Amino acid sequence: MEELLEQINQTFDNCINTSNEDVALQLKIIKGNVNTIMKNYIGNTAPLQPMNESTIEEPQYDLSKKCIFIVDDSSIVRNYLEKLLKGKYCIAMATDGADTIEKLSRMDEEQGFDAILLDLMMPNIDGFGVLEYMNSKNINIPVIVISGDNTGETITRAFQYNVLDMIEKPFDAKTIEDKIDHVLGVE
């Protein structure tokens, strides 16, 4: 089994080295997830159980923790960020701008969000549509934009809203953790 994992890692590394930055980032995230699953499987004598709808639980919010709202249309990015942050923060997620606006409209004082990690380029309603909605409804949640578009026009436009920081894709774990901790005043 460990030999198989080594072969899988070599295949990922070859693909990562020959891919553009966006694809390489996604492959690195998948590689990390595969390694975690395989290492857990290798150390576990019980057979892997297939996932079905009954094994997927609705997220439970720990109100004693600050809550990060992750908004990205890429399931790979959302899952990576959730895995990275869920020990320290409670996590909520949305898949696009329409989903985000729906969740923000239902938000209350007891179950609000302390910060939003917001992708700009999404289907249905993009990140700018979310920022415009937040502005029109006077929703003052700190926003950290995560985007692959780092043109001057995009940066200038984003900072016209309640955006406190911007992280360029591809990003690394330390950058995400440091920026969120800084925005929330957490050490």
Side-chain angles (χ1 to χ4, degrees), residues 79-99:
N79 292 338
Y80 172 76
L81 291 170
E82 178 187 31
K83 183 177 176 182
L84 176 68
L85 300 170
K86 73 179 176 182
K88 191 170 188 177
Y89 300 103
C90 92
I91 303 297
M93 293 189 280
T95 59
D96 61 29
D99 188 25

Side-chain angles (χ1 to χ4, degrees), residues 23-55:
V23 173
L25 172 65
Q26 293 178 358
L27 288 170
K28 286 177 186 177
I29 293 168
I30 294 169
K31 177 184 171 187
N33 290 338
V34 167
N35 275 283
T36 300
I37 291 167
M38 291 295 288
K39 286 176 183 172
N40 287 340
Y41 178 74
I42 290 168
N44 187 358
T45 57
L48 287 175
Q49 298 298 317
M51 285 189 76
N52 57 43
E53 287 185 32
S54 65
T55 61

